[in-house]
Amino acid sequence: QKEVEQNSGPLSVPEGAIASLNCTYSDRGSQSFFWYRQYSGKSPELIMSIYSNGDKEDGRFTAQLNKASQYVSLLIRDSQPSDSATYLCAAPRRSGYSTLTFGKGTMLLVSP
Amino acid sequence: GAVVSQHPSRVICKSGTSVKIECRSLDFQATTMFWYRQFPKKSLMLMATSNEGSKATYEQGVEKDKFLINHASLTLSTLTVTSAHPEDSSFYICSASIQRTSTDTQYFGPGTRLTVL
């Protein structure tokens, strides 16, 4: 079973700080990765996808992928209390398939 | 972005009744649709994967006769919880995938909260 691992947290950061969320994966063949945000009681919402080694930036969010080390991370700059949520990392269960394997999620708490 | 809707958002039913949940991709045709269940403070659990016109593929341990999935079109999938019992009370979430660049991307519906009395 291919796995996606995340620290469950909570990760606590003060407002305005950079929050760094990490995810490791077991399948070296994984080509694409997704970060979802899930607020309590709500469904997951796609934040970013990343396919290539390196950084991908979208507003306050930066996804980083290092295939050699098999980790993917999400940085949130200028964290806001509204960013407090559980962040889910996901990768396709098998290359070329749309079924995803999700990590258990990291809870982020941003304090005012 | 891609919008996925679910209906109803919340349902309360008596034990033994059946409940149907609809999932629609509103602005795209979905290659595949997925059904998940999530208990409070627990991880997402994939129940089944469905493609239009095909039988759904159920995850191990999910009863196909209890959770009936119909995927009538590229924009509509339904999940029917048959003979619901209190232990079926959960948050049911669908997602629909669309191919972007070289890979499929899943977009989630808002979820349906089922309470079985």
Side-chain angles (χ1 to χ4, degrees):
Chain A
Q1 176 77 14
K2 298 181 174 64
E3 294 183 349
V4 175
E5 301 282 347
Q6 294 180 260
N7 188 317
S8 62
L11 172 66
S12 296
V13 300
E15 184 174 357
I18 296 176
S20 178
L21 302 156
N22 300 311
C23 169
T24 59
Y25 58 94
S26 62
D27 180 16
R28 282 197 171 273
S30 294
Q31 296 294 318
S32 53
F33 302 88
F34 303 87
W35 282 100
Y36 289 86
R37 176 176 63 196
Q38 186 175 24
Y39 291 112
S40 180
K42 302 295 185 182
S43 66
E45 171 192 12
L46 180 68
I47 296 178
M48 291 188 72
S49 58
I50 186 166
Y51 314 111
S52 304
N53 266 332
D55 296 0
K56 179 182 178 182
E57 188 174 316
D58 184 359
R60 295 187 297 115
F61 299 97
T62 299
Q64 299 175 320
L65 174 59
N66 184 322
K67 290 186 178 181
S69 301
Q70 294 179 242
Y71 82 77
V72 56
S73 62
L74 180 70
L75 302 179
I76 307 175
R77 289 182 298 283
D78 188 23
S79 295
Q80 301 296 309
S82 58
D83 294 325
S84 298
T86 296
Y87 289 80
L88 304 170
C89 174
R93 182 182 285 182
R94 280 192 290 171
S95 180
Y97 283 75
S98 52
T99 304
L100 294 176
T101 297
F102 283 87
K104 293 188 183 303
T106 298
M107 181 183 292
L108 173 65
L109 298 176
V110 181
S111 54
Chain B
V3 181
V4 179
S5 70
Q6 267 184 258
H7 179 79
S9 58
R10 187 178 297 267
V11 59
I12 300 173
C13 69
K14 293 182 179 180
S15 186
T17 60
S18 294
V19 174
K20 180 185 283 189
I21 303 169
E22 286 189 354
C23 176
R24 293 181 185 272
S25 56
L26 297 185
D27 54 359
F28 66 100
Q29 293 186 324
T31 49
T32 307
M33 287 186 166
F34 304 83
W35 288 96
Y36 295 82
R37 180 166 60 177
Q38 188 173 37
F39 293 104
K41 300 192 186 302
K42 298 295 184 184
S43 303
L44 277 176
M45 188 194 83
L46 178 65
M47 300 175 67
T49 302
S50 73
N51 292 286
E52 183 254 348
S54 303
K55 288 186 178 180
T57 300
Y58 290 81
E59 294 295 293
Q60 191 170 9
V62 178
E63 300 174 59
K64 62 178 70 174
D65 294 331
K66 180 167 185 62
F67 299 101
L68 300 179
I69 292 172
N70 182 273
H71 197 145
S73 74
L74 287 173
T75 59
L76 172 63
S77 177
T78 60
L79 168 68
T80 301
V81 183
T82 62
S83 187
H85 289 94
E87 57 267 28
D88 298 322
S89 298
S90 188
F91 190 40
Y92 291 85
I93 314 170
C94 75
S95 71
S97 67
I98 183 173
Q99 187 167 26
R100 296 203 185 280
T101 62
S102 61
T103 192
D104 285 0
T105 300
Q106 281 190 40
Y107 294 88
F108 284 85
T112 297
R113 197 162 302 281
L114 170 65
T115 302
V116 184
L117 301 176

